[in-house]
Amino acid sequence: GTQIYQIGLVNGLEKWRFPAEPNNKINYFAPVAFSPDEQMLVGSYNHNFYGIPPGGAQSNWSFEEAEDRYISKALVLGDQIFAGSADGNLYVLGLDGSLRWKYTTGHAIWATPLSDGKAVYVASMDHYIYALDPQTGNQIWKTEDLGGQLVAQPALSDSGVLYLGAFG
């Protein structure tokens, strides 16, 4: 929809909405994530990614460098935000919205990134999963072509095995 709502769990009443007034040019499909400093983090169809303070109907900041929409929830690791965009880039932001680094895949990223603390795993619609160093963005490895677009977040077992389905 055109707004994100905060709803009270006790009574179901709306506490606030972002933005305060609806804008038909902005739509949200991606689920929200939260940072350690309690910002609500969300990307939109207008190609912007927002950091919204607790209880605020206005954003602290917006990152506006993406060339396409955000579909998935961002991954938050400490003071880093990993946000995949339909423009094929994984944008890694600081908690102030500043770009730390980006990694470009061959197609859109619709899946939420996943991490085991050692690497960030990114599934792309280009048929590959990428393992990236979370601090530098350097590629650790890339799978062979998995035979179809990857749109879901990978799952990681307790024994360290990565699982993912593909449109193949």
Side-chain angles (χ1 to χ4, degrees):
T2 58
Q3 293 175 298
I4 297 170
Y5 300 89
Q6 183 185 50
I7 306 296
L9 291 178
V10 174
N11 58 16
L13 297 177
E14 179 183 322
K15 292 185 175 186
W16 58 266
R17 64 179 75 185
F18 174 81
E21 297 297 324
N23 179 341
N24 289 336
K25 294 180 182 177
I26 303 174
N27 286 292
Y28 300 93
F29 184 79
V32 300
F34 293 93
S35 66
D37 63 357
E38 298 186 11
Q39 289 184 84
M40 184 174 70
L41 306 166
V42 66
S44 74
Y45 261 49
N46 73 340
H47 311 183
N48 292 345
F49 193 91
Y50 299 96
I52 304 164
Q58 294 187 359
S59 65
N60 280 340
W61 53 264
S62 66
F63 175 77
E64 302 176 3
E65 292 181 32
E67 295 179 16
D68 208 338
R69 61 196 178 272
Y70 293 91
I71 303 292
S72 64
K73 180 178 180 176
L75 169 68
V76 180
L77 290 177
D79 66 349
Q80 291 180 295
I81 303 161
F82 296 80
S85 170
D87 69 6
N89 289 303
L90 175 70
Y91 294 98
V92 181
L93 310 175
L95 296 179
D96 62 357
S98 61
L99 179 65
R100 298 225 175 136
W101 55 267
K102 74 177 181 179
Y103 185 87
T104 303
T105 68
H107 206 297
I109 301 172
W110 282 13
T112 299
L114 175 73
S115 179
D116 60 4
K118 299 173 193 162
V120 172
Y121 304 102
V122 180
S124 173
M125 291 179 70
D126 66 1
H127 305 193
Y128 299 95
I129 296 177
Y130 300 84
L132 307 175
D133 180 294
Q135 296 304 314
T136 65
N138 292 335
Q139 182 179 302
I140 300 168
W141 53 257
K142 173 181 161 182
T143 62
E144 60 188 51
D145 188 324
L146 297 177
Q149 294 179 320
L150 310 175
V151 298
Q153 181 184 38
L156 185 63
S157 74
D158 290 339
S159 61
V161 178
L162 198 60
Y163 294 91
L164 182 68
F167 287 147

